[in-house]
Amino acid sequence: MLDQLTAGAAQDDTHDPDPAAAEVVGVTIVWSDNNGISRSRTVPIGEFGAAVERGVGVTPLFAVFDSHDGITFEHAPLGTPSGDIRLVPVSDRIVRLAGQPGFGWVPGRQVAADGSAWPYDQRGVLERQVDRAAALGLDFLAGYEMEFHLSRADGDDGDDVRPIYEGPSYGPTKMLAVDAFAAQLLRDLDHNGVPIGQLHGEYGPGQFEFNIAPADPVTAADLQLLARQTVHAAARAHGLRASFAPLVTLGQVGNGWHLHTSLSRAGTNLLSGGDGPAGITAEGGAYLAGLLRDLPAIVAVTAPSLSSLQRLRPGYWCGAYAFWGVENREAALRLVPATPLLGAGHANVELKPSDASANPYLALAVVIAAGLAGIEDGLTPPGPVQENPDRWSGERRAEHGVHRLPTTVEEQLGALLGNRRVRSALGEELTDAFRAVRTSDAARAAGRDAAEVVRSYRWLY
């Protein structure tokens, strides 16, 4: 694998006119913490083989870092500064970074000091759910729509962020404003092995979006982290600053990382070809019903930050209410059905309340766990809602079982801790560490106004 890195460096001069700049000198091992923030260790290229065999040492307290790098000791098993774990690169996922040609990139897994499984390893949580699905004869695909904000690198002025372009949404002139950046980003994503379907200017000022092609869940989570790194490097190269934060400026449109999933049995997509709404099968309907049943607890993991709570507002197509609909962009769970043009394999479920503050491995793990539980319990979903229920009366929403998703940290944690299925998927140790981190974030924000809280998350992602 290292031979491929160094060979790639010698052969590719697209980004490296200076041959010395093409030499790969280090490999960055990346994982995502309980705030969705990427953490890393970089090893010299000559030490990478040793890192694969023995890992590199990191503190176990990364499991209780809050969003602003505060360390909470409110989770008893990690209540002291003592101890060490090992970060082991997943060597078959190594990539030479196009935007940082001196470095390779590889996801890592966290293991105990003796090499055994560590309960706080987020990647391992997802791998267990994928194995559970496979034991039931089910395969999953996952893909992301990733929204982000671009501004000039020197454009942050307190509450006022000056976006790169404020003109008409979705138009070619919005792309023209970032022409050189967009061209490099497309090249770099392709070089780094991140397959995307499209790139476009989004609705909000300075907002852009691309979608990552579906992959198995673990690969999808890896690609999401790699895509973020690729965007930040390309932005830096063009004097820009990227933010994937759930909300960049109070009152504006937020950034979602909409999570699309589909499931199949023996190669047949269970979200199409059936007798249910939009062709969903009985098992596909049970999967959807499982997501809907556990949605408040799921969203406590997929949109967990204080910035997330500010983003989740009715009328912004971010899924503020717990319901599902067929191609309803206001729904928290949007069924994207199969069509004659796209084929049966295209059908998927989009989770709207999902953003960059979610650990991608945990997000996918709880979605899969809830959906599998729905199948095991033989659930049937209620009928789809094709309107915006925020315009309904409270009585009508109650009649249809539609309710707001949690709007406070306390409500989110109540939903998470009160849900045995989601808690079991995470494991009791990680669940309580996650709780401690969310509580620490809330305490840090106490007494601050909403704009200040949103601003404090702006450049974390």
Side-chain angles (χ1 to χ4, degrees), residues 172-185:
T173 53
K174 192 167 189 174
M175 291 299 296
L176 185 64
V178 294
D179 186 61
F181 159 80
Q184 178 169 342
L185 179 60

Side-chain angles (χ1 to χ4, degrees), residues 95-179:
V95 172
R96 179 191 169 230
L97 291 171
Q100 299 169 256
F103 293 92
W105 180 100
V106 66
R109 57 167 48 92
Q110 302 157 80
V111 301
D114 62 1
S116 62
W118 195 54
Y120 304 93
D121 176 47
Q122 295 91 349
R123 185 188 180 90
V125 170
L126 175 56
E127 289 171 335
R128 287 194 294 275
Q129 291 306 313
V130 172
D131 289 345
R132 179 183 165 212
L136 295 172
L138 296 169
D139 295 305
F140 279 84
L141 290 175
Y144 282 91
E145 295 177 59
M146 298 180 64
E147 295 172 336
F148 62 99
H149 177 278
L150 281 177
S151 64
R152 295 290 179 189
D154 60 353
D156 185 13
D157 184 22
D159 289 332
D160 180 26
V161 177
R162 293 186 288 275
I164 191 66
Y165 187 75
E166 299 192 44
S169 302
Y170 305 109
T173 53
K174 192 167 189 174
M175 291 299 296
L176 185 64
V178 294
D179 186 61

Side-chain angles (χ1 to χ4, degrees), residues 112-456:
D114 62 1
S116 62
W118 195 54
Y120 304 93
D121 176 47
Q122 295 91 349
R123 185 188 180 90
V125 170
L126 175 56
E127 289 171 335
R128 287 194 294 275
Q129 291 306 313
V130 172
D131 289 345
R132 179 183 165 212
L136 295 172
L138 296 169
D139 295 305
F140 279 84
L141 290 175
Y144 282 91
E145 295 177 59
M146 298 180 64
E147 295 172 336
F148 62 99
H149 177 278
L150 281 177
S151 64
R152 295 290 179 189
D154 60 353
D156 185 13
D157 184 22
D159 289 332
D160 180 26
V161 177
R162 293 186 288 275
I164 191 66
Y165 187 75
E166 299 192 44
S169 302
Y170 305 109
T173 53
K174 192 167 189 174
M175 291 299 296
L176 185 64
V178 294
D179 186 61
F181 159 80
Q184 178 169 342
L185 179 60
L186 290 174
R187 285 193 300 265
D188 290 356
L189 288 169
D190 181 63
H191 184 287
N192 290 349
V194 182
I196 72 166
Q198 59 177 313
L199 167 68
H200 64 271
E202 250 290 341
Y203 186 82
Q207 189 181 42
F208 298 84
E209 178 186 285
F210 61 91
N211 63 291
I212 303 177
D216 71 87
V218 178
T219 298
D222 289 343
L223 290 176
Q224 193 230 53
L225 293 182
L226 178 55
R228 182 197 303 186
Q229 184 81 4
T230 305
V231 170
H232 282 302
R236 181 194 63 177
H238 293 275
L240 303 173
R241 196 173 190 185
S243 174
F244 293 94
L247 202 60
V248 174
T249 302
L250 192 66
Q252 290 284 357
V253 174
N255 293 318
W257 282 5
H258 304 159
L259 175 56
H260 294 253
T261 57
S262 64
L263 72 163
S264 61
R265 185 182 295 280
T268 299
N269 190 331
L270 298 177
L271 297 174
S272 64
D275 298 326
I280 198 168
T281 68
E283 278 194 301
Y287 172 70
L288 180 62
L291 299 184
L292 187 60
R293 175 176 65 178
D294 291 336
L295 194 58
I298 290 172
V299 173
V301 177
T302 64
S305 69
L306 293 163
S307 186
S308 304
L309 292 171
Q310 294 288 346
R311 171 182 169 258
L312 296 181
R313 299 155 290 170
Y316 282 80
W317 293 5
C318 56
Y321 284 94
F323 72 98
W324 80 279
V326 180
E327 291 286 24
N328 184 346
R329 286 175 169 80
E330 193 66 36
L333 294 170
R334 170 183 170 237
L335 177 65
V336 183
T339 66
L341 179 63
L342 297 176
H346 178 76
N348 65 85
V349 176
E350 176 189 19
L351 175 67
K352 287 278 190 180
S354 174
D355 62 51
S357 65
N359 179 291
Y361 304 97
L362 297 185
L364 274 163
V366 298
V367 165
I368 292 171
L372 291 179
I375 293 173
E376 291 173 326
D377 292 343
L379 300 185
T380 301
V385 173
Q386 299 305 109
E387 302 174 44
N388 180 0
D390 192 52
R391 299 177 179 175
W392 294 356
S393 67
E395 291 78 7
R396 187 180 178 192
R397 285 195 293 269
E399 290 173 4
H400 286 78
V402 174
H403 56 86
R404 275 295 299 271
L405 289 168
T407 60
T408 67
V409 173
E410 292 76 17
E411 289 178 356
Q412 280 196 325
L413 288 178
L416 174 61
L417 299 178
N419 188 300
R420 60 176 175 79
R421 290 173 294 273
V422 173
R423 206 174 61 237
S424 176
L426 296 177
E428 292 301 330
E429 297 96 334
L430 194 147
T431 297
D432 194 58
F434 192 89
R435 173 206 59 79
V437 167
R438 302 280 72 80
T439 302
S440 180
D441 276 354
R444 181 184 296 273
R448 300 185 180 185
D449 63 36
E452 186 179 0
V453 171
V454 167
R455 186 169 64 249
S456 73

